[in-house]
Amino acid sequence: MGELVTVRVCEGISRGFAADARTRIAAVVSGADALVESLRIRIGTLGTAGSPGVAAGGPAATGAPGVLAQVNAEVDGRRIRVQEAAADLGEALDRLADGLRTRMTAVTAGWTPRPWPRRTRTRGLPAAAEPFTPLGVAPSVRSVARPEVPCPPGPRSIVRRKLPQLVWCSPDAAARTMDAMDYDIHLFTDPATETDAVVYRVGPTGYRLARTVAAGPPTRPAVPLTLSPCGAPELSEEQAVERLTAAELPHLFFAQPGSGRGRVLYRRFDGGLGLIAAAS
């Protein structure tokens, strides 16, 4: 399996740690080689330009940089991703190995809904006070606390843009992809309504569906979805940035004025903002 494990060490991390990461992760997949087609690890310090991408739950206001570790793999024909942050490399790799083991089990044993809420929240409201809104979600709940990352003062800026071809799939399939890829929000196109939509992690069930245009609930979903009763607001990028930062949301679902295509603005671990926009 070792030859299938590739490691990228980003700025701020000694390249000597690559062998440790490869050994730990290879041990997790030992015995499951036939199911694992590829496995890529990235390790970086929080707040550096070379760090892996999205912050699930977003950065907090203060604290030490810490380490961000991410693994992408294809297991039994299904893409999975695990991303973990911690105060030091050893802890980050421990969490990464535990998360990969859990994700592999979930993929190979069949999907079940992830628990909500998880036990430890990094910041934000108590579970009972989390708002239900299509404009964003309450700060994420995590089974382990993430290290806090300093946010730069002043207005936030979009530092990364992703323009994917959105997959047409059911909300059930989108929720399962969200879980497999360790996302807190996932943008897709709902074929039942032919509108862009998101599923995201929020109480009380842990799964919520919002669309660019309001519509009824999906027919007999297997995932315990709650439904946003409103369509996504049409906002310019500047308006979206202002709304996300003013409300301290980890991410914001909105529609592009004119085209009505769905977009997701999210906070990164490095304090900047990322934008996912449907390709034309």
Side-chain angles (χ1 to χ4, degrees):
M1 180 67 216
E3 67 276 8
L4 296 180
V5 180
T6 59
V7 183
R8 174 189 171 193
V9 179
C10 302
E11 178 184 354
I13 298 291
S14 170
R15 295 190 179 277
F17 289 119
D20 185 21
R22 181 179 288 105
T23 299
R24 294 198 196 196
I25 298 303
V28 173
V29 300
S30 178
D33 298 35
L35 299 177
V36 182
E37 297 181 30
S38 64
L39 198 150
R40 301 178 306 281
I41 306 166
R42 288 192 293 168
I43 308 169
T45 56
L46 296 176
T48 64
S51 297
V54 179
T62 60
V67 174
L68 182 63
Q70 179 177 303
V71 59
N72 291 266
E74 187 167 339
V75 179
D76 199 19
R78 184 77 180 268
R79 289 194 309 126
I80 63 173
R81 188 194 75 141
V82 180
Q83 181 173 262
E84 293 291 346
D88 57 58
L89 182 69
E91 185 181 3
L93 291 180
D94 285 344
R95 293 182 179 181
L96 196 69
D98 288 344
L100 178 60
R101 189 177 295 108
T102 299
R103 199 64 38 76
M104 286 178 61
T105 299
V107 168
T108 56
W111 180 87
T112 57
R114 291 160 62 192
W116 184 270
R118 301 190 194 178
R119 291 171 302 194
T120 303
R121 131 186 353 265
T122 56
R123 62 175 186 145
L125 303 172
E130 289 178 349
F132 288 174
T133 167
L135 308 183
V137 304
S140 300
V141 173
R142 289 282 165 182
S143 57
V144 290
R146 292 184 180 271
E148 297 185 339
V149 183
C151 286
R156 303 290 182 266
S157 60
I158 297 174
V159 298
R160 186 176 185 186
R161 296 172 184 269
K162 301 178 183 179
L163 302 174
Q165 292 285 348
L166 298 190
V167 173
W168 285 58
C169 66
S170 69
D172 275 354
R176 296 181 188 196
T177 297
M178 178 177 68
D179 284 357
M181 297 300 290
D182 199 22
Y183 298 149
D184 279 348
I185 187 167
H186 181 51
L187 179 65
F188 67 104
T189 300
D190 180 8
T193 59
E194 297 188 355
T195 60
D196 294 338
V198 290
V199 288
Y200 57 88
R201 296 286 287 167
V202 72
T205 67
Y207 299 90
R208 192 161 177 82
L209 169 66
R211 301 183 179 100
T212 51
V213 178
T219 303
R220 295 187 296 277
V223 174
L225 290 166
T226 57
L227 178 67
S228 169
C230 305
E234 288 198 355
L235 301 171
S236 67
E237 289 184 7
E238 293 77 13
Q239 291 171 323
V241 169
E242 182 179 355
R243 184 172 296 193
L244 179 140
T245 54
E248 297 187 348
L249 296 169
H251 38 73
L252 176 70
F253 175 49
F254 66 103
Q256 182 181 28
S259 72
R261 296 304 306 270
R263 294 186 157 199
V264 171
L265 186 69
Y266 63 89
R267 295 179 184 268
R268 292 166 48 89
F269 272 115
D270 60 16
L273 301 179
L275 179 71
I276 304 172
S280 301

